[in-house]
Amino acid sequence: MYGNDFATDATDAADRLPGPDEPLNAAESGQFDDLIEAERRIEPRDEMPDAYRQTLIRQIAQHAHSEIIGMQPEGNWISRAPSLRRKAILMAKVQDEAGHGLYLYSAAETLGVDREDLLDRLHTGRQKYSSIFNYPTLTWADCGAIGWLVDGAAIMNQVPLCRCSYGPYARAMIRVCKEESFHQRQGFEILWTLMRGTQAQQAMAQDAADRWWWPALMMFGPPDTGDAASTGGHTSQSMAWGIKRFSNDDLRQKFVDMMVPQADRLGLTLPDPELRWNAERGHYDFGPIDWDEFWRVLKGDGACNAERLAHRVAAHDEGGLGPRGRHGIRREAGRGATCPGRRRMSPSTDRATWPLWEVFVRGKRGLSHVHVGSLHAPDATMALRNARDVYTRRQEGVSLWVVQASDITASSPDERDSFFDPAGDKVYRHPTFYDVPEDVEYL
């Protein structure tokens, strides 16, 4: 589900894909189909079928929701991490997850949807997030299991999305995948250290692997090949559109094949008595997944569903990332009451009215600024600071520009022929137009 697309009965009607007998392609010209056939990117102002747009909105929104809800399981351990080094690493990872959510919400907004509306759908249960984040983190070893298994599954799901047919989503995923590799490696290192520690530490690591293995396999979504192909969600259409590149089952198999040797190296035993190498298939066989548990947790009956969503709603209402709100000061009893020194948010600072800013980064001196994404901020100063924290966490730039999106004037894709074609017949502007002797050097 982490980067997958499927709906439940609770899904908002506005997110629904057309049924089998309903038209899928609402685009009047063949431009969309031509771009898909040529494996080229669809950009925000290009013509696209409404079903394609709605599929992307739902999938990107679910992905973004998963990133910000996914901050909570490990954020719970920041104050209890066993060393200052581990605390710093865990804080960096949680900050990355917040950044990933921002990348993805920005990508969703290019499809014409409002971020606050997406968050409202999450908070009211009309849109879902990955079921993996409804499981508790009981010990420090769980942080290792999440990094190794959960982020490993996320990478397996997300790397193909770097080739997604929708440009903003694909570009966001390139940034996300670069950062997820750090998450997986730090998780592996935690388990590696524990498995070389005391017997109690080894038992803790094994217990975490036992509890997270099956939920990690569920992250790829329900079966969608073989007999399940007819009931496997929208995989076939998403693959035809170039949104997905592989089926859920293919990605799950690749993940198992990758993780078994790593588990052996760690010294962990994966909790599946049917797990064994099948020489004829060239893959590992594994046991049946409890899909009843998957759907039960997804629909709200998991160990932490209510807690995780309530915390997210409270954080949003407080205007910050945690229970103490934006400035780290807890609200007093009574809605609207604030502690001394805390400034009320006036209508002008309401996030719903913040303008959209486009962000440009210069990677090195001498290079041009390149557009990397967008964000919302109340003013230019805050936009610049937020852009630094979101887009240059790893020293990716030496200079930042932020420009209000409303101040940008762009050419229209519908006018591309008349706008750019006047230069098409001026072939004499190219050096290859001129015939010169081949033996003339430096010309």
Side-chain angles (χ1 to χ4, degrees):
M1 182 177 177
Y2 213 156
N4 271 341
D5 164 53
F6 54 89
T8 67
D9 294 340
T11 300
D12 195 1
D15 292 331
R16 184 185 65 83
L17 269 180
D21 300 326
E22 298 178 70
L24 283 173
N25 196 336
E28 294 181 359
S29 74
Q31 179 192 356
F32 174 83
D33 294 327
D34 291 344
L35 290 172
I36 294 297
E37 180 68 24
E39 292 278 334
R40 298 181 65 183
R41 294 276 169 80
I42 306 298
E43 296 298 339
R45 300 176 72 188
D46 287 336
E47 182 183 71
M48 66 185 75
D50 187 60
Y52 176 83
R53 183 188 303 275
Q54 293 301 328
T55 296
L56 283 166
I57 289 173
R58 181 175 56 253
Q59 178 168 331
I60 298 172
Q62 288 180 168
H63 196 163
H65 300 334
S66 299
E67 296 287 356
I68 60 172
I69 294 288
M71 298 164 65
Q72 294 185 42
E74 291 171 290
N76 180 44
W77 277 91
I78 290 175
S79 63
R80 297 180 287 165
S83 68
L84 183 60
R85 173 179 180 267
R86 294 294 187 189
K87 291 180 192 292
I89 292 171
L90 202 54
M91 284 191 292
K93 183 181 179 186
V94 171
Q95 185 188 34
D96 276 352
E97 305 296 0
H100 297 172
L102 291 176
Y103 300 157
L104 292 163
Y105 285 125
S106 295
E109 286 183 308
T110 65
L111 292 159
V113 69
D114 183 75
R115 185 178 312 196
E116 287 297 316
D117 180 55
L118 295 180
L119 289 171
D120 183 66
R121 295 185 197 186
L122 168 65
H123 297 162
T124 56
R126 290 178 293 145
Q127 282 186 336
K128 302 299 182 182
Y129 56 89
S130 180
S131 62
I132 194 77
F133 299 120
N134 291 318
Y135 291 86
T137 45
L138 304 179
T139 69
W140 169 246
D142 286 36
C143 292
I146 290 174
W148 177 50
L149 291 173
V150 176
D151 292 317
I155 292 172
M156 185 64 69
N157 248 329
Q158 292 170 172
V159 166
L161 291 174
C162 296
R163 297 190 290 120
C164 170
S165 60
Y166 187 59
Y169 193 20
R171 291 188 286 272
M173 293 316 305
I174 291 172
R175 296 186 65 88
V176 169
C177 289
K178 287 180 179 178
E179 297 175 357
E180 288 287 0
S181 61
F182 138 55
H183 301 174
Q184 186 184 23
R185 291 174 70 94
Q186 68 90 29
F188 185 94
E189 187 203 43
I190 290 173
L191 295 176
W192 178 267
T193 301
L194 290 174
M195 289 302 292
R196 276 137 195 83
T198 66
Q199 288 186 347
Q201 289 173 324
Q202 293 173 15
M204 185 196 309
Q206 182 62 61
D207 173 67
D210 290 346
R211 286 184 288 106
W212 288 95
W213 172 249
W214 291 108
L217 295 189
M218 297 177 193
M219 286 178 64
F220 296 94
D224 57 355
T225 58
D227 294 338
S230 60
T231 58
H234 307 296
T235 292
S236 60
Q237 183 60 67
S238 291
M239 292 181 71
W241 278 331
I243 298 174
K244 290 188 67 167
R245 296 291 175 173
F246 302 97
S247 70
N248 299 346
D249 292 323
D250 287 343
L251 290 171
R252 185 166 23 248
Q253 183 66 69
K254 290 181 180 181
F255 176 71
V256 172
D257 292 346
M258 178 180 74
M259 302 311 286
V260 172
Q262 293 184 16
D264 290 342
R265 190 71 179 91
L266 283 167
L268 290 169
T269 301
L270 295 175
D272 182 358
E274 299 182 36
L275 187 64
R276 60 180 56 86
W277 178 253
N278 185 323
E280 183 177 346
R281 292 199 312 121
H283 296 288
Y284 282 94
D285 292 334
F286 54 94
I289 296 171
D290 185 353
W291 291 111
D292 289 339
E293 175 186 335
F294 170 80
W295 290 112
R296 186 173 63 251
V297 173
L298 185 67
K299 293 179 180 180
D301 192 23
C304 299
N305 290 62
E307 173 190 336
R308 298 273 155 80
L309 193 56
H311 188 80
R312 167 90 276 277
V313 172
H316 181 268
D317 289 345
E318 290 286 329
L321 295 177
R324 292 183 176 272
R326 182 185 305 277
H327 301 292
I329 304 174
R330 189 179 296 277
R331 280 185 180 272
E332 299 290 353
R335 187 171 180 84
T338 57
C339 294
R342 177 163 180 178
R343 178 173 60 88
R344 289 179 182 270
M345 289 187 70
S346 66
S348 63
T349 57
D350 182 1
R351 284 174 300 185
T353 66
W354 289 359
L356 181 68
W357 301 79
E358 302 298 335
V359 182
F360 301 80
V361 174
R362 171 179 284 161
K364 296 179 180 179
R365 291 183 63 86
L367 298 181
S368 299
H369 284 76
V370 176
H371 182 258
V372 293
S374 56
L375 51 79
H376 288 271
D379 54 47
T381 300
M382 187 60 72
L384 199 60
R385 291 178 179 176
N386 289 351
R388 175 198 62 192
D389 294 340
V390 173
Y391 293 104
T392 62
R393 291 195 297 277
R394 289 171 172 79
Q395 297 180 311
E396 294 97 333
V398 297
S399 175
L400 276 171
W401 287 349
V402 291
V403 184
Q404 276 202 47
S406 60
D407 292 333
I408 296 177
T409 302
S411 61
S412 170
D414 296 335
E415 301 173 351
R416 65 187 184 280
D417 292 341
S418 60
F419 194 81
F420 294 104
D421 276 2
D425 60 354
K426 297 180 175 62
V427 292
Y428 48 80
R429 292 183 182 272
H430 301 277
T432 53
F433 172 78
Y434 302 94
D435 294 324
V436 298
E438 293 183 0
D439 57 350
V440 177
E441 296 182 347
Y442 311 117
L443 186 62

